[in-house]
């Protein structure tokens, strides 16, 4: 918007900017003396944003609030008169048109576009935060599900992973007992006999004796293995690992209290010490569990004693006769014997008792943590062979071999193409091979599959590894804790996103009023300019065109 043509036609003074700056200084001075208690709107006025329209409104409010302030000529006086003079100064030589043009150009070219861009930027950031929060929430739920699934697979609740893993190790004997019970059952016995008979009939030459098949499975049935899975040197030490770490911290705290004062005292041969205490019977001694100091005048050595039966290994007596260290000070030139005995009455009983009680509590906690049966060195129980990888592999080889045989037999019995051949073969086969139908084979396969699943599932393998390797226990605990910590980290990120959203909403709520105020003021100034210019040119209609219409049309 350009008003140079108004300046060229002498409608507006050429020095309108200078006059406008002086008028603004006058407005700033008038605002200081403005009675702001008359209207709440007065509290929001700013010297930088107070122009012609605001001055007219202030003048109207003041004149309506105190109509009796007019003088004999009808002019306003006081604060109202001052603002009326400001309004007249704006109207003189159409100074307010120059101010309006300046404000409109500033708002249309800079203020309103900048505020709109800021609003769009904040809205875009909020949309990005919404998407990010949805992704974090989805990832947190997935991480929580993975953690729960991992805990459920191991039979854990997930509250204290290490303790629960150690507690789950107690269930291995029952798992091994269930495996032995299945493999020693009638169904597996029938399957084993069926397989042995088939091998004897189909794969053994006449006149020869077939060897026993599935030796590991037969040995398990004939000699059921031991089910004990731990000893004191392996599992108990692992169970109290956390308690030992706590005890180390406690020992450091206790050792810091054992202070060696390193007091070296020598008798000054030229000094005379008069304790002014009086003599005390030398035979009198302080009570036990106290610090006792005895002074004798015939020796130059100083000795202390600490008699405490409750503390062992902390102090040792230097006198083998009576465990009392005498301090005798020889005073030069003094013949009067001084034999005072001072009982300092310093007791460490309370500290030692407190330390003993705390140690007992920690040991009790460690015992509760482990809670595993412990064997003495002289009578250690043998461990279950199920803990041996080679033993389990050999047993699994036999079970898979037997399962494959039963599956093949089940397929052959259900095949229509080989049914006639099966009848011919079974006609000359032993009775044992003829008495098992598809239903019996399915029962055998079900029991074998259950035993194989118990041996090979992740829970059993992990618990066996926990018993065989403490490092595996640490690694498994770390793996589960990482999944849990990842969920916690995602939840913390969600909190940060929520906090950031609140900040953006606060910024957006402060930008909207500014943008609306700028648009509203620009619209009012546009209307004022069009009305004033129309009146200036004998009522001809005047319409402002350009970017201002696009800005106001989008609002």
């Amino acid at each position: 918007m350009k008003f140079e043509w108004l300046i060229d036609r002498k409608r507006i003074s050429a020095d309108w900017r200078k006059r406008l700056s002086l008028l603004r200084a006058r407005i700033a001075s008038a605002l200081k003396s403005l009675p702001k208690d008359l209207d709440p709107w007065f509290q929001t006025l700013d010297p930088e944003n107070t122009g012609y329209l605001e001055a007219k409104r202030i003048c109207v409010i003041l004149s309506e609030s105190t109509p009796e302030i007019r003088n004999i000529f009808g002019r306003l006086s006081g604060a109202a008169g001052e603002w009326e003079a400001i309004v007249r100064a704006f109207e003189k030589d159409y100074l307010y048109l120059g101010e309006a043009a300046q404000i409109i150009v500033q708002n249309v070219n800079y203020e309103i576009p900048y505020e709109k861009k800021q609003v769009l930027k904040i809205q875009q950031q909020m949309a990005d935060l919404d998407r990010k929060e949805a992704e974090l929430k989805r990832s947190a739920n997935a991480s929580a599900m993975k953690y729960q699934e991992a805990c459920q697979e191991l039979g854990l609740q997930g509250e204290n992973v290490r303790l629960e893993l150690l507690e789950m190790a107690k269930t291995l004997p029952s798992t091994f007992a269930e495996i032995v019970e299945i493999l020693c059952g009638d169904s597996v016995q029938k399957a084993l006999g069926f397989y042995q008979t088939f091998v004897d009939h189909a794969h053994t030459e006449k006149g020869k004796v077939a060897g026993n098949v599935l030796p590991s499975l037969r040995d398990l049935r004939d000699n059921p293995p031991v089910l004990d899975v731990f000893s004191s040197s392996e599992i108990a030490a692992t169970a109290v690992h956390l308690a030992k770490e706590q005890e180390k911290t406690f020992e450091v705290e206790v050792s810091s209290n054992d202070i060696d004062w390193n007091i070296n005292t020598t008798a000054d041969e030229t000094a005379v010490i008069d304790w002014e205490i009086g003599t005390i019977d030398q035979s009198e001694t302080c009570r036990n569990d106290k610090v006792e100091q005895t002074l004798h005048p015939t020796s130059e050595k100083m000795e202390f004693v600490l008699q405490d039966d409750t503390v062992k290994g902390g102090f040792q007596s230097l006198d083998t006769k009576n465990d009392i260290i005498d301090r005798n000070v020889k005073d030069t030139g003094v013949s009067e014997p001084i034999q005072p005995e001072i009982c300092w009455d310093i007791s460490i009983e309370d500290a030692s008792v407190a330390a003993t009680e705390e140690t007992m509590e920690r040991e009790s906690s460690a015992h509760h943590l482990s809670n595993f049966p412990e064997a003495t060195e002289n009578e250690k129980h043998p461990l279950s062979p199920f803990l041996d990888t080679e033993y389990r592999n050999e047993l699994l080889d036999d079970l898979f071999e037997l399962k494959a045989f039963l599956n093949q037999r089940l397929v052959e019995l259900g095949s229509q193409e080989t049914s006639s051949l099966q009848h011919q073969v079974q006609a000359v086969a032993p009775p044992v091979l003829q008495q098992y139908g598809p239903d019996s084979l399915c029962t055998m396969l079900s029991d074998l599959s259950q035993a194989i699943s118990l041996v090979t599932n992740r829970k059993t393998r992990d618990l066996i590894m926990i018993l065989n390797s403490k490092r595996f226990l640490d690694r498994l605990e770390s793996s589960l804790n990482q999944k849990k910590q990842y969920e916690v980290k995602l939840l913390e990120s969600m909190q940060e996103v929520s906090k950031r959203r609140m900040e953006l909403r606060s910024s957006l709520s402060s930008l909207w009023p500014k943008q609306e105020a700028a648009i509203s003021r620009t619209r009012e100034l546009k209307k004022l300019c069009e009305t004033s210019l129309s009146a200036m040119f004998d009522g001809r209609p005047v319409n402002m065109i350009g970017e201002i219409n696009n800005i106001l049309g989008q609002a």
Side-chain angles (χ1 to χ4, degrees), residues 166 235 307 334 369 531 543:
L166 294 174
I235 303 306
Q307 296 176 351
V334 179
L369 179 64
T531 304
N543 295 317

Side-chain angles (χ1 to χ4, degrees), residues 505-520:
R505 286 179 178 176
S506 178
S507 301
L508 187 61
S509 63
S510 62
L511 280 177
W512 276 115
K514 292 180 181 180
Q515 181 180 349
E516 294 298 326
I519 293 174
S520 176

